[in-house]
Amino acid sequence: MADPAVAALNSLLREASIDDHAEALELATAAVRSNKIQGPDLASAQHTRVVALLKLDRYDDALRVIAEGGDALEKDCSFEKAYALYKTGDLEGAEAVLQKTGVDTGKSQRGLKHVAGQVAYRNEKFERAAAIYRDLKDDTEGANYGEENDLRINLTAADAQLQWQGMEWAVPEEEKQPAREDLEAFETAYNAACICISRGDYTKASVLLKRSRDLCEATEDLNEEEKKAELVPILVQQAFVFTKLGKLDEALSLQNAINLFEVSETSTKVIAQGNKLLPKATANPFIAERLARALPKIEGNDRLFGFQTAALQRNKNVIDLQAQKFEGKEIRAHKLLAGAQVPDLSVSKVDLGVAGAAAATKCGDGKPTVRQLLPLLEKRPNDIGLLLTIIQLYIQINTLPPAILLLEKFFTRLEEANTPEHIDVRFAPGLVALAVSLYRSQNRQRDVRNELSKAAAHWRSKTEAAGAGSSIAREAGIELLRSSHPSDLAAAGKAFEQILSAQPGDRTATAGLVASYATTDFAKVEPYLESLPSVEKLTQGVDVSALIDAGVALLTPPASQQSKKRKFDGEGAAPEKEKQQPAKKPRKRKLPKNYDPTKKPDPERWLPLRDRSTYRPKGKKGKKRAQEATQGGVVKEEETLELAGGAGSVKVEKAGGGGGGANKKKKKGKK
């Protein structure tokens, strides 16, 4: 006779659907504790017990039951164990279980692939998550009803995350723009808006978020409580978009409309509270700093993504600087960055370096700040944030050569280290772009070409990061195409081949590859010729006769480049335009204020004052000198003396009676 508990459980399992999961758990537990069942009945009861616990969100209890059931139950409940580990936040453990099941080989169950996609997404392996969802979307065999819509929602979410991470190359072109199907559900409209936000297209994102909000409020598939929960992230994102668009009043009204006490997800609550700190930081940074320290801590699976954590920490750094917490921020930055052996390109460390530089100079700028930061860079040579801050200050004071020299010294030190980690930092896309921008500002095209060529060659040698260097390969290929040297054209062709290996449908890379090998290797060009538009299609609608009749357009050079020399008209005469120019207007002569045309000018007005006849000196000394002068003074007496031997005569001054007494006085000596 069968055990009553087993019979009741089998009767429940034969029903079309089970709504009372607590009842299923109770019956399964009673059947497992019964000593009369073994074999398949026991395995079925244990499996039912695990599923019921998952339905009741008791994930830790489900893991405990699986562990108590032994290896056989663990093998049968691989999907349930992976899902429970995912929900408890143990992403590494979930990945280990999925690898044992062979999810990467394509032989696993469809449900396991869904869990693998969710685990990869939460573990911020968005490229792998998107690949899993595309495989599930293409494999329609065995798909459940409504699964296609869920796959589209998850795929658009992964695409948005990829673009937020700067991995646009990993997103196909047809998935970058929202499709008509994305506007039919509020989830896909929300994800499409996030994709626009990641690209900086806030106007289109605002329209899509409004569409998502309207669809969510009008849906009949959710009750009022579920609608409120789904509307919270939409409102938070809308407030962020309005802030970026400068509509601060609309953003503030949306933030006030969110009731944070009704938000169940801690991550959403932290983001909403963090965004509300912006107006408070502007009004009173000290209150904002106190509220920032009061933000709740996130634990478990409900955690922020990496870029969200970095943005939140960046806001906290800015608030601390506004609250003048310079010393603490500088000490923290020096403690975390001074001992780094390899430069860290993570957003959090770069932001910390920038905040530490601002704290060390008390948010100063100009040349004094640069002189203050250069010794600090010698103490922290691997601080990327500090390096970028100094370069930015050089750019602000319009002294680019020292900025270029500082960046080149940093590159040289990384190349001399000659380790894979240092070389990866040396050719990081952001630093290469900075060097290229600085070189172009100084019109150093050769250096631009060399920098892009070396960076493209480095990323081409790293096969595991073929897509990561696609942006550098694209810029290097375009720049090398401007050269006519065969080696440069060959390097450009290799760069475009790298892009096509990661993105086969890239039209720019296809055209660049054809242009690179058109004159040297036609065999590589021939497969791509059909994918390019024909010459007739490109010139369609162009009136050649009208262009010929119009002639060649001549651009007028800027005024600073125009020659100031007189143009030659063939006969040595100036052009008609120059002949007709009016003569310069003569300047009006200025006269003294007291000028009287009836009075005759003084004829002695050009002589110095003391040489005029009307000059009368003042004082005793002046009168004495005037008496000795020849004009109006006593004429000195002279006498003529005859020279002996008839040699002639000479006139000498006659000796006066009182003139020699002064010369006969003895000089008073020192006592």
Side-chain angles (χ1 to χ4, degrees), residues 126-160:
F126 305 115
E127 188 177 3
R128 183 169 181 268
I132 293 174
Y133 291 137
R134 290 192 189 99
D135 291 341
L136 289 170
K137 186 179 178 182
D138 296 337
D139 184 16
T140 57
E141 185 179 356
N144 298 322
Y145 176 77
E147 185 179 353
E148 182 180 358
N149 185 47
D150 294 339
L151 288 174
R152 172 173 284 277
I153 294 171
N154 294 339
L155 182 57
T156 53
D159 289 342

Side-chain angles (χ1 to χ4, degrees), residues 347-462:
V347 178
S348 59
K349 292 299 179 62
V350 174
D351 289 342
L352 182 60
V354 174
T361 60
K362 294 180 173 56
C363 299
D365 57 2
K367 289 184 179 180
T369 302
V370 174
R371 289 194 293 266
Q372 188 176 355
L373 290 178
L374 287 174
L376 188 61
L377 184 62
E378 296 179 0
K379 299 178 181 179
R380 302 205 301 260
N382 293 324
D383 189 350
I384 300 290
L386 178 58
L387 173 70
L388 296 179
T389 302
I390 298 175
I391 293 175
Q392 179 64 29
L393 290 172
Y394 274 130
I395 295 173
Q396 288 180 353
I397 60 179
N398 199 21
T399 54
L400 298 182
I404 296 175
L405 181 61
L406 187 66
L407 186 61
E408 288 177 343
K409 287 182 178 180
F410 179 71
F411 284 166
T412 302
R413 189 169 56 81
L414 293 178
E415 291 173 356
E416 291 175 352
N418 199 22
T419 63
E421 294 80 8
H422 286 84
I423 298 300
D424 286 345
V425 175
R426 163 64 181 88
F427 295 109
L431 295 178
V432 172
L434 174 61
V436 169
S437 178
L438 292 174
Y439 286 144
R440 282 178 177 166
S441 66
Q442 299 294 296
N443 200 21
R444 295 167 57 174
Q445 297 300 327
R446 184 183 296 275
D447 293 329
V448 170
R449 196 171 302 152
N450 293 337
E451 181 68 21
L452 289 173
S453 300
K454 292 189 294 184
H458 168 74
W459 289 108
R460 189 165 55 247
S461 64
K462 298 177 72 67

Side-chain angles (χ1 to χ4, degrees), residues 436 440 448 452 469-482 495-496 499:
V436 169
R440 282 178 177 166
V448 170
L452 289 173
S470 60
S471 60
I472 293 180
R474 186 186 305 275
E475 293 297 326
I478 294 173
E479 183 66 31
L480 291 171
L481 275 179
R482 298 173 181 172
F496 289 123
I499 299 173

